[in-house]
Amino acid sequence: MGWRWLVRMRTALMLLGVLALMTAVATVVPQEPNVPTTVRSWRLGEEGPGATVSAVLDWVGAFDVYGSPAFLALLLALFLSLTACLIPRIRAWIRLVRRSKPPVVKTVGGSDITASFQTDAAPADVHAAAAKLLGGRVWRIRRHDPEAEGGPLDASSGARSAPSQVAAEKGLWSREGGSLLFHLSFYVLLAAIVFGQLLTFEGQRGVVERDRGFADTAISYWNYQPGRWFSEADHAGWRLELDEFEIDWIRDPLAPGAGQPTTFRSTVTITPADGEPFQDVVEGNQPLTVDGFKIHQLDWGYAPRVEVEVDGQMVYDDLLTAVAADGGGFRSAVKAPAADPDVGLEVFFYPFAPDGDGGPSLTGAPWDEAPLLVVRQWRGDLQLGATQQTVNELDTSGLESEGGAFLRPGDEVVVEGVTIRFPELRRWVGFQVSSRPQIPWLLVGSALLVAGLIPALYAYRRRVWVMAVRPPGQQRTLVTVFGRAFQRPEKFEEEHGDLVTELIRMVGVPPDDTTDPDDRAPRSGADPAAAARDSATEVMPR
């Protein structure tokens, strides 16, 4: 009973819904493999909904949804259910394609739409023309001739009891095949998503122009997000250096898109682990691929170089990676624990701040034609390691302010015995390095989904029979064309009329036959042999 329940398509949909719910939980609750510091703060009650709720979340495995036994068990059950659902259907479809034939019928009874006309052509010629017409339109054809198959026309049972006819079928393979492809695409997509998340990698790192770059190793990234099955040995070990970063903007304030970048290009040098260095370009919509890793431009900013000297000793000399701040400027921080006491600087950089009568004018424009560095100096305990602070943040809780200053490139100021210099200005670029082996399989799954959805929506299964009978004593052949649509009957009516019209053109009708196939009306339950005894020029009524 459990296995029968598992192999139902309804069960697969239920399991998929539960997995989607668990995935939604994983997007709201921080996951320990990705952000262990945040999870620790939640458990301690410093962040999040509180220690009690966090304890419940921890008990149900919400801090590691994708690694929880419940998620893995549901995932396994879903794959088993999908496999058990698809394999029998695929086998049945293959048997259908290889062995099935359009059925022959004894009477018109049960057909949905019928039309008849007279012709001087012999029945065999009509059947041959019908087979040619339908075969040319990619119908599966079955010609039935009871006498040729070894039995009389009035055999008591079996297929030979049916009159001579051409049976044709269309849409059986394509509709069911499209449905199978559609369901198979979910199988491929789900597998690609799951295994892709296990094998994926994503990391971010900022690089300054003409400065030391970074190597593709785990410790080189600022942010590091590997999949569960991605190990340090999977890194390729290449090195990236930023030679030049070009950026420009629409500077006319009245032009459409004013202030938007028009150029966003990085010229980089890549040094493979076991190869020669080469130069390449990374642009906004043109990432660079190196050893299966894609490199995108993610962010950018200005990198002013700041020197800090205390009592003749250089305590800080580095390029800052200033990030965008409110008001059109960029902010960063200088931390010099080598001084006694520690020196900290809050740094604000304004790319275009021309001098005016009342001092520098902070325009907020992003182009660096009048760069200005604004610093505010602090002394005391930087509390490095005691508090969480990024490289561009300064914790001033243990510091005392000592004033500030303005600096242009090349300037030097002294604030309370601390010498601060601004020798040069560069730019920096934030690169995102990612490895997503699931992308080709996601494309395959998407292609299968579209390829299966089109026939599943637009293909329809239908059958057509053509019977041509010349009763004894008659000189004309009565041709009956009838068919049945299992889906989209309104579409089949148009197709049926077109078939009748084309068949009339191929076999011809007597001059006195006034039957207009476009005026035909459907009928069911008539026997062509009996109908031949009636007026052959009459369109069969429904």
Side-chain angles (χ1 to χ4, degrees), residues 376-448:
R376 184 178 182 183
Q377 181 171 300
W378 299 79
R379 299 294 296 270
D381 183 8
L382 292 174
Q383 302 189 70
L384 299 180
T387 60
Q388 293 184 2
Q389 47 185 310
T390 68
V391 293
N392 291 313
E393 296 176 336
L394 182 67
D395 185 352
T396 61
S397 58
L399 303 173
E400 293 183 3
S401 176
E402 292 186 341
F406 296 151
L407 294 94
R408 298 285 187 184
D411 284 356
E412 174 183 314
V413 297
V414 179
V415 180
E416 297 294 329
V418 177
T419 303
I420 305 171
R421 303 187 184 91
F422 178 20
E424 62 174 321
L425 176 65
R426 303 184 193 178
R427 296 187 179 109
W428 70 273
V429 176
F431 293 101
Q432 176 173 287
V433 180
S434 59
S435 173
R436 295 187 175 92
Q438 72 271 31
I439 294 297
W441 292 103
L442 290 174
L443 293 176
V444 169
S446 301
L448 289 175

Side-chain angles (χ1 to χ4, degrees), residues 112-422:
D112 295 325
I113 185 169
T114 306
S116 64
F117 63 91
Q118 291 183 9
T119 180
D120 290 333
D125 295 336
V126 174
H127 289 155
K132 181 179 179 180
L133 171 62
L134 294 168
R137 300 192 179 190
V138 203
W139 287 67
R140 294 171 57 238
I141 305 299
R142 179 181 179 182
R143 294 192 62 175
H144 175 66
D145 187 350
E147 295 182 357
E149 293 181 11
L153 188 63
D154 57 349
S156 60
S157 62
R160 285 181 249 176
S161 64
S164 296
Q165 60 190 273
V166 173
E169 187 173 34
K170 195 173 184 180
L172 176 62
W173 300 352
S174 57
R175 187 175 182 88
E176 176 64 12
S179 178
L180 288 175
L181 278 180
F182 182 76
H183 288 87
L184 184 62
S185 67
F186 284 100
Y187 193 93
V188 175
L189 288 171
L190 183 62
I193 292 171
V194 171
F195 289 103
Q197 290 299 318
L198 294 172
L199 298 171
T200 192
F201 162 75
E202 186 177 288
Q204 293 86 34
R205 171 62 190 261
V207 183
V208 179
E209 289 177 310
R210 304 182 303 279
D211 193 38
R212 57 187 181 275
F214 78 99
D216 177 38
T217 58
I219 61 174
S220 297
Y221 292 96
W222 289 354
N223 294 316
Y224 187 74
Q225 298 174 335
R228 288 182 176 274
W229 291 356
F230 189 93
S231 65
E232 294 188 15
D234 294 322
H235 288 285
W238 43 263
R239 186 173 186 82
L240 180 146
E241 297 177 3
L242 178 60
D243 301 327
E244 183 183 11
F245 177 61
E246 303 172 59
I247 187 170
D248 202 356
W249 299 265
I250 300 174
R251 305 195 180 197
D252 185 355
L254 301 180
Q260 297 297 317
T262 58
T263 305
F264 196 69
R265 180 186 304 113
S266 298
T267 302
V268 299
T269 297
I270 303 294
T271 306
D274 53 356
E276 294 295 325
F278 64 91
Q279 196 173 68
D280 213 323
V281 173
V282 185
E283 295 193 65
N285 296 320
Q286 298 179 10
L288 177 63
T289 302
V290 180
D291 293 336
F293 291 81
K294 279 199 171 183
I295 304 173
H296 292 79
Q297 291 180 141
L298 190 65
D299 198 1
W300 78 281
Y302 285 101
R305 181 181 174 186
V306 177
E307 296 177 351
V308 178
E309 184 178 312
V310 179
D311 299 331
Q313 179 184 0
M314 188 71 67
V315 295
Y316 187 89
D317 182 5
D318 206 353
L319 291 155
L320 306 179
T321 53
V323 296
D326 296 336
F330 295 79
R331 63 178 177 84
S332 188
V334 169
K335 302 168 188 178
D340 187 19
D342 299 345
V343 174
L345 299 178
E346 287 183 306
V347 179
F348 298 92
F349 176 75
Y350 297 93
F352 187 61
D355 289 325
D357 295 337
S361 176
L362 307 181
T363 64
W367 41 86
D368 53 338
E369 296 181 355
L372 175 70
L373 197 70
V374 181
V375 298
R376 184 178 182 183
Q377 181 171 300
W378 299 79
R379 299 294 296 270
D381 183 8
L382 292 174
Q383 302 189 70
L384 299 180
T387 60
Q388 293 184 2
Q389 47 185 310
T390 68
V391 293
N392 291 313
E393 296 176 336
L394 182 67
D395 185 352
T396 61
S397 58
L399 303 173
E400 293 183 3
S401 176
E402 292 186 341
F406 296 151
L407 294 94
R408 298 285 187 184
D411 284 356
E412 174 183 314
V413 297
V414 179
V415 180
E416 297 294 329
V418 177
T419 303
I420 305 171
R421 303 187 184 91
F422 178 20

